Amino acid sequence: MATCRRPSSPRLAQIVAALALVIITPLATGATMLEPVDSQEQGKNGVTGLSGVLAVIVSSDGRDVYTAAPNADAIAAFHRDPATGALTQTQVIKNGADGVGGLGFACALALSPDGNHLYVAGATDNAVAVFTRDPNTGLLTFVEAQKEGVAGVDGLKFARSVAISPDGGFVYVAGQTDDAVAIFKRNGLTGWLKFVEVIREGVDGVTGIGGPLELAISPDGANLYLAAGDRAAVAVFKRDGATGPLRQADLEQEGAQDFGLAGAHSVAVSPDGGYVYATGLGDNAVTTFTRNKRTGTLTFSDVLVQGLEGVDGLTGAGWVAVSPDGTKAFVAGTQDNAVVAFTRDQTTGALHYVEKQNGGAFARSVAVSPDGRNVYSAGASSNAVYVFRVAD
């Protein structure tokens, strides 16, 4: 597992030097973007299944919110009020109950583009679990679990992240202790998965993917991006859209050219596909890369760091999410118990700090609703999900 640390003095000096080359836009004083409107907490008003909650995701139709809670080996479903964003719990599914498998230390979620299936990474089960989703009720039904070592499946040891291609044809799962990504073909009708192959650190020229923590696929489906905590890196792969396999195209690693990637934890691609954002949990930072839309390769653009230029809330920077319209970005600051809000320049990709809000103790995940009206954060130590309204 990646560990949190503060940047050393030499590292801070490098980052400050890099920032000296960047034009900093003055902060708007008194700006407010996020308004707290609701929270759902384990043990209150009958809510269950949120113990140690690590992940939160919103369905593409905006009707439902789903969470993964490793301490409960569970996923939970909530109905979302489209007017306010408030949540009402509708279902809890636990590992081992009613034949459900693959949810041991459930820690990551991905919904198929059609909204019909939910995929869950179960780290201690070395598995990815599959559920059908009723689009009318949001309720989930267990389908199957693909597990390490069963029927040739490989690369799922301590499964930590799941990503689905935009066409819904393939599912990719990061195995943190396998230093690997497992590739599956997805049946669009049933949601069933068929193992295709695995890519692994040090095999066939693959490098920089030790300790993978999150995967993201570009909107055009051409590239997969991987945040590797053990390598302080973002690895770039070219996808074969027809058959699913990956070929490495680039590696951006903490060093002379790239800053803010120590303990690289999360990666996100802007909706226009022009920029990639990565958090460095060890550097307390979020880094912006310009993406070459033809090749998928990255060029360092900017870095924002806790305590510099007025930025606050990024200590232990974890998950990063970009709003669907591309105008905002949000980061979960784990050690600051915060959700940090930024405006985003759609022309340059630059992020500009606005504010931080309480995102729950040990804030670990952040998600934006499809309509952009709400932000959701998971507080792992609070055993709670927090709801915010986004200011117009």
Side-chain angles (χ1 to χ4, degrees):
M1 299 280 290
T3 57
C4 302
R5 63 173 177 82
R6 291 185 180 274
S8 63
S9 295
R11 169 56 48 202
L12 278 173
Q14 285 180 308
I15 292 173
V16 170
L19 285 170
L21 303 176
V22 180
I23 297 174
I24 302 297
T25 300
L27 302 179
T29 58
T32 299
M33 184 186 295
L34 297 176
E35 175 191 352
V37 297
D38 185 26
S39 65
Q40 297 289 316
E41 185 175 344
Q42 173 78 15
K44 291 188 177 181
N45 299 317
V47 172
T48 62
L50 292 182
S51 182
V53 59
L54 279 186
V56 59
I57 193 171
V58 188
S59 61
S60 57
D61 58 14
R63 293 184 176 184
D64 303 290
V65 170
Y66 301 93
T67 60
N71 293 352
D73 297 333
I75 53 175
F78 298 85
H79 174 71
R80 172 179 175 263
D81 185 325
T84 66
L87 303 178
T88 303
Q89 189 165 49
T90 56
Q91 186 181 28
V92 176
I93 298 176
K94 294 188 175 183
N95 204 38
D98 300 318
V100 172
L103 294 183
F105 202 87
C107 59
L109 305 164
L111 278 160
S112 59
D114 59 15
N116 291 334
H117 299 97
L118 178 73
Y119 296 83
V120 186
T124 56
D125 275 345
N126 304 317
V128 56
V130 183
F131 296 83
T132 58
R133 172 180 174 265
D134 186 319
N136 295 316
T137 65
L139 298 180
L140 304 172
T141 303
F142 179 69
V143 174
E144 65 157 344
Q146 295 280 334
K147 295 188 176 183
E148 175 79 11
V150 178
V153 173
D154 193 12
L156 292 184
K157 289 181 181 177
F158 211 80
R160 188 56 187 270
S161 179
V162 186
I164 305 176
S165 59
D167 63 3
F170 294 90
V171 172
Y172 300 82
V173 185
Q176 185 178 356
T177 58
D178 253 345
D179 298 337
V181 178
I183 303 167
F184 297 88
K185 174 70 175 175
R186 173 178 174 263
N187 183 311
L189 181 63
T190 65
W192 282 80
L193 299 179
K194 180 180 180 181
F195 180 71
V196 176
E197 66 178 30
V198 61
I199 63 166
R200 194 184 305 274
E201 172 80 7
V203 178
D204 295 328
V206 173
T207 185
I209 68 168
L213 292 175
E214 190 174 26
L215 307 174
I217 298 177
S218 57
D220 59 10
N223 299 103
L224 179 141
Y225 296 87
L226 180 152
D230 291 352
R231 297 293 183 268
V234 173
V236 183
F237 293 88
K238 181 73 176 177
R239 284 188 64 246
D240 185 317
T243 61
L246 303 172
R247 175 176 56 83
Q248 191 157 18
D250 190 15
L251 179 67
E252 300 297 323
Q253 198 162 20
E254 180 90 350
Q257 301 299 320
D258 300 316
F259 302 95
L261 294 179
H265 201 78
S266 177
V267 62
V269 187
S270 61
D272 61 9
Y275 297 89
V276 170
Y277 301 90
T279 57
L281 188 144
D283 272 341
N284 308 320
V286 56
T287 298
T288 303
F289 295 94
T290 301
R291 174 178 177 260
N292 185 311
K293 293 184 181 181
R294 182 178 60 83
T295 65
T297 56
L298 302 177
T299 303
F300 174 85
S301 176
D302 191 10
V303 62
L304 297 178
V305 183
Q306 168 67 20
L308 296 181
E309 300 296 336
V311 173
D312 194 14
L314 287 185
T315 309
W319 273 258
V320 57
V322 181
S323 63
D325 65 3
T327 63
K328 305 173 184 70
F330 305 92
V331 175
T334 300
Q335 291 178 302
D336 275 335
N337 306 324
V339 172
V340 187
F342 302 87
T343 57
R344 176 179 174 270
D345 187 313
Q346 297 184 78
T347 301
T348 66
L351 302 182
H352 303 294
Y353 175 78
V354 177
E355 65 171 341
K356 71 172 183 177
Q357 288 281 353
N358 175 26
F362 212 67
R364 293 289 287 175
S365 182
V366 61
V368 189
S369 61
D371 57 16
R373 294 177 180 175
N374 297 106
V375 167
Y376 299 85
S377 68
S381 296
S382 298
N383 305 316
V385 175
Y386 297 83
V387 185
F388 302 89
R389 185 185 72 85
V390 179
D392 296 331

